[in-house]
């Protein structure tokens, strides 16, 4: 499977759309950070004031729903398109097992797309260090690390769902449409389910 992972990485790194995302998202995050200096609304519509650069990071993670939906669409198109172009059929014909192909794509794409989304929020936080100052550096770093762990777990679940859909639908356009729709439904349930159940989980308090 090592060779499959190398091949997936090679294909991804030679995809111009991927590089547009890999460069564009951090740049977008850097220039968006200033928009999170003041008040923003939490999931329960309570106004909270950002008081540190790690607060900016948390707020940008919490507000990245639309971007995450779009990323899921791109991911679905990337993998679904390989079925349309019969690239995966060629890999199977070469003697590779479908499960190994699935796992190699999952590993490469989960790492790549998680890094892109993390960099988006991280660059926004970095851009605001000059405004907020370093403050309690240890606490700020721990806050960012905690949110990053939650973020990776949640996003990886969404990406895995999209990748699975791609292997079921085997069509780039269909997966690019179905992936974001399913991901959006999961995110809405994730945001509003704790409100309905009155369940307080730290995962839902990104903005604090």
């Amino acid at each position: 499977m090592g060779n499959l992972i190398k091949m997936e990485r090679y294909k991804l790194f030679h995809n111009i759309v991927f590089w547009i995302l890999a460069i564009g998202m951090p740049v977008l995050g850097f220039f968006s950070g200033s928009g999170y200096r003041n008040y923003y609304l939490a999931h329960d519509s309570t106004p909270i004031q950002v008081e540190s650069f790690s607060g900016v990071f948390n707020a940008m993670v919490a507000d990245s729903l639309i971007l995450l939906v779009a990323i899921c669409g791109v991911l679905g198109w990337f993998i679904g398109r390989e079925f349309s172009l019969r690239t995966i059929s060629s890999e199977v014909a070469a003697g590779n097992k479908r499960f190994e192909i699935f796992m190699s794509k999952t590993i490469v794409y989960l790492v790549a797309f998680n890094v892109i989304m993390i960099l988006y929020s991280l660059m926004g936080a970095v851009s605001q260090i000059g405004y907020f100052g370093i403050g309690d550096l240890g606490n700020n770093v721990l806050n960012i690390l905690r949110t990053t762990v939650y973020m990776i777990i949640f996003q990886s679940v969404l990406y895995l769902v999209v990748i699975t859909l791609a292997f079921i639908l085997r069509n780039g356009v269909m997966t690019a449409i179905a992936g974001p729709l399913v991901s959006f439904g999961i995110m809405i349930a994730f945001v509003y389910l704790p409100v309905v159940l009155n369940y307080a989980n730290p995962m839902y308090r990104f903005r604090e």
Side-chain angles (χ1 to χ4, degrees), residues 53 134-142:
F53 69 89
I134 295 297
D136 186 342
L137 182 59
N139 185 61
N140 280 323
V141 171
L142 286 175

Side-chain angles (χ1 to χ4, degrees), residues 50-93:
V50 173
E51 297 178 348
S52 65
F53 69 89
S54 65
V56 172
F57 180 86
N58 291 347
M60 292 184 71
V61 169
D63 281 347
S64 61
L65 184 147
I66 299 301
L67 286 175
L68 189 52
V69 168
I71 289 292
C72 286
V74 173
L75 174 59
W77 179 72
F78 276 1
I79 299 179
R81 185 168 175 266
E82 292 196 33
F83 282 100
S84 301
L85 297 175
R86 304 189 65 81
T87 303
I88 293 179
S89 297
S90 299
E91 294 173 357
V92 173

Side-chain angles (χ1 to χ4, degrees), residues 32-196:
S32 299
S34 60
Y36 295 88
R37 290 176 180 175
N38 298 313
Y39 288 91
Y40 57 91
L41 298 178
H43 75 275
D44 58 354
S45 299
T46 302
I48 302 173
Q49 187 172 21
V50 173
E51 297 178 348
S52 65
F53 69 89
S54 65
V56 172
F57 180 86
N58 291 347
M60 292 184 71
V61 169
D63 281 347
S64 61
L65 184 147
I66 299 301
L67 286 175
L68 189 52
V69 168
I71 289 292
C72 286
V74 173
L75 174 59
W77 179 72
F78 276 1
I79 299 179
R81 185 168 175 266
E82 292 196 33
F83 282 100
S84 301
L85 297 175
R86 304 189 65 81
T87 303
I88 293 179
S89 297
S90 299
E91 294 173 357
V92 173
N96 297 299
K97 296 180 180 178
R98 289 185 180 275
F99 179 74
E100 292 180 346
I101 295 172
F102 174 84
M103 288 303 301
S104 64
K105 292 184 184 299
T106 298
I107 292 170
V108 171
Y109 282 100
L110 254 61
V111 172
F113 282 80
N114 269 308
V115 168
I116 286 175
M117 290 301 295
I118 290 170
L119 286 176
Y120 165 75
S121 300
L122 185 61
M123 290 304 294
V126 168
S127 72
Q128 297 309 301
I129 291 179
Y131 180 84
F132 290 104
I134 295 297
D136 186 342
L137 182 59
N139 185 61
N140 280 323
V141 171
L142 286 175
N143 190 17
I144 288 176
L145 288 176
R146 181 199 66 180
T147 302
T148 299
V149 170
Y150 291 147
M151 180 183 185
I152 289 174
I153 293 172
F154 180 59
Q155 290 180 172
S156 294
V157 170
L158 294 181
Y159 297 152
L160 183 58
V161 169
V162 173
I163 294 170
T164 302
L165 279 174
F167 273 75
I168 294 173
L169 298 176
R170 302 186 180 189
N171 182 281
V173 175
M174 289 178 63
T175 309
I177 295 172
L181 289 175
V182 173
S183 299
F184 183 76
I186 294 173
M187 283 185 268
I188 291 299
F190 181 80
V191 171
Y192 290 104
L193 184 60
V195 177
V196 174

